[in-house]
Amino acid sequence: NQDNVIYVDDDNTLGPWDGSIEHPYQFIQYGIDIAIDGDTIFVYNGTYYEHITVDVSILLIGENKETTSVISPGNPDVESVINIIKDRVTIKNFTILYSPYKKEYGEGGLNINSNNNIITNNIIKPINTSYLSSYDYGVRLFQNENNLISNNIIKSNGGAISFSSSNNITITYNTIQSFYGSWLENVTNSYFNFNNFLRAPLSFKSITFINSYNNTWYGNYWNRPRILPKPIRGLYFVYLEPIRFLIDFDWHPAKKPYDIDSIK
């Protein structure tokens, strides 16, 4: 049933639970576990301490991104608060809070290992804003293509977004802020347009890219007003070959930051 809606409400602590609007599930993962491709899971305002794995093609929609929160319970064996492993997933209207200090190599907010997904209108940030780790990340994409990340606020003590072996990704109208910037490795044919790339205090770089080609940068705000094109420097590195410097340009950088909350 392509129109099936499964409901989740953390206030329903005593049950019964069947996913109906009268008897919503208490936890998001319970809704995902009984969903089939094409279902919508609607999550009421609340605080959900869960690690979530999305292994079905669904729309996962929060009632309000300011008041519908998924918070890491700090399981040391889990790398992300939300892990998407199925194609064609939409995640919208959540605050996702992760715990970079709970794991040796940091924990992330959202991990995407699949294609054709939409991540929109979310807030993704660490729980502990004073902890600094180069391993934690807001969003990580690995070996995927045709994903859209738009209208999100993504903050990190480490790297805001980490891309690896990804193709045809669209990153648009996001506010992206971190200490170590975002990391691109083997990323091709992707679009980075109309974002706010902000640097945390004392940080020095918004983007690092390695072995990445044919990407488009247009109309981004780079931490301060700019009139001249913004150079984006990277490296070409292959084992046993000389390192070469690469450079891309945002030819039309923005003069003022975008109001992401007003863009729907």
Side-chain angles (χ1 to χ4, degrees), residues 205-225:
K205 186 175 288 190
S206 299
I207 299 288
T208 298
F209 73 90
I210 295 177
N211 299 354
S212 296
Y213 302 95
N214 299 325
N215 299 305
T216 299
W217 309 82
Y218 185 89
N220 300 288
Y221 180 80
W222 297 93
N223 207 59
R224 63 176 176 83

Side-chain angles (χ1 to χ4, degrees), residues 237-252:
F237 177 79
V238 177
Y239 184 63
L240 296 180
E241 291 188 18
I243 295 175
R244 301 204 317 261
F245 292 99
L246 303 173
I247 189 166
D248 281 347
F249 285 94
D250 185 336
W251 293 104
H252 299 280

Side-chain angles (χ1 to χ4, degrees), residues 117-149:
N117 302 297
I118 299 173
I119 310 301
T120 186
N121 203 43
N122 302 286
I123 301 169
I124 304 171
K125 61 184 181 179
I127 295 171
N128 185 336
T129 57
S130 64
Y131 184 88
L132 184 62
S133 167
S134 61
Y135 294 101
D136 79 271
Y137 56 89
V139 178
R140 182 172 65 184
L141 299 96
F142 180 68
Q143 293 184 344
N144 60 84
E145 59 184 17
N146 301 323
N147 287 303
L148 170 64
I149 299 176

Side-chain angles (χ1 to χ4, degrees), residues 20-220:
S20 66
I21 195 169
E22 295 84 9
H23 305 121
Y25 287 111
Q26 183 181 1
F27 299 106
I28 298 170
Q29 188 66 58
Y30 289 178
I32 294 172
D33 289 345
I34 63 98
I36 62 173
D37 288 350
D39 282 354
T40 295
I41 297 178
F42 183 84
V43 182
Y44 286 104
N45 291 335
T47 303
Y48 300 84
Y49 291 91
E50 300 185 57
H51 284 117
I52 296 168
T53 297
V54 185
D55 57 0
V56 62
S57 299
I58 57 170
L59 277 69
L60 179 58
I61 311 296
E63 183 174 0
N64 185 306
K65 72 175 180 180
E66 302 285 350
T67 53
T68 311
S69 300
V70 184
I71 301 180
S72 167
N75 184 340
D77 297 322
V78 180
E79 294 184 356
S80 303
V81 178
I82 299 179
N83 187 31
I84 302 174
I85 59 175
K86 185 69 180 290
D87 296 346
R88 304 186 189 282
V89 171
T90 294
I91 294 184
K92 181 178 182 180
N93 296 347
F94 288 94
T95 290
I96 301 168
L97 297 173
Y98 60 95
S99 303
Y101 52 92
K102 290 290 187 180
K103 290 175 62 65
E104 180 182 0
Y105 294 109
E107 179 182 72
L110 180 65
N111 185 58
I112 303 173
N113 282 98
S114 56
N115 309 312
N116 301 103
N117 302 297
I118 299 173
I119 310 301
T120 186
N121 203 43
N122 302 286
I123 301 169
I124 304 171
K125 61 184 181 179
I127 295 171
N128 185 336
T129 57
S130 64
Y131 184 88
L132 184 62
S133 167
S134 61
Y135 294 101
D136 79 271
Y137 56 89
V139 178
R140 182 172 65 184
L141 299 96
F142 180 68
Q143 293 184 344
N144 60 84
E145 59 184 17
N146 301 323
N147 287 303
L148 170 64
I149 299 176
S150 69
N151 304 97
N152 302 284
I153 297 172
I154 304 170
K155 296 186 177 182
S156 172
N157 300 330
I161 305 182
S162 175
F163 305 85
S164 181
S165 303
S166 299
N167 178 62
N168 196 30
I169 309 299
T170 299
I171 310 295
T172 186
Y173 287 117
N174 302 280
T175 290
I176 300 169
Q177 182 177 24
S178 67
F179 186 88
Y180 291 99
S182 294
W183 176 271
L184 285 68
E185 184 172 2
N186 299 314
V187 176
T188 57
N189 303 313
S190 294
Y191 303 88
F192 302 83
N193 302 331
F194 310 114
N195 301 286
N196 298 321
F197 286 107
L198 307 179
R199 296 200 302 266
L202 303 179
S203 66
F204 63 93
K205 186 175 288 190
S206 299
I207 299 288
T208 298
F209 73 90
I210 295 177
N211 299 354
S212 296
Y213 302 95
N214 299 325
N215 299 305
T216 299
W217 309 82
Y218 185 89
N220 300 288

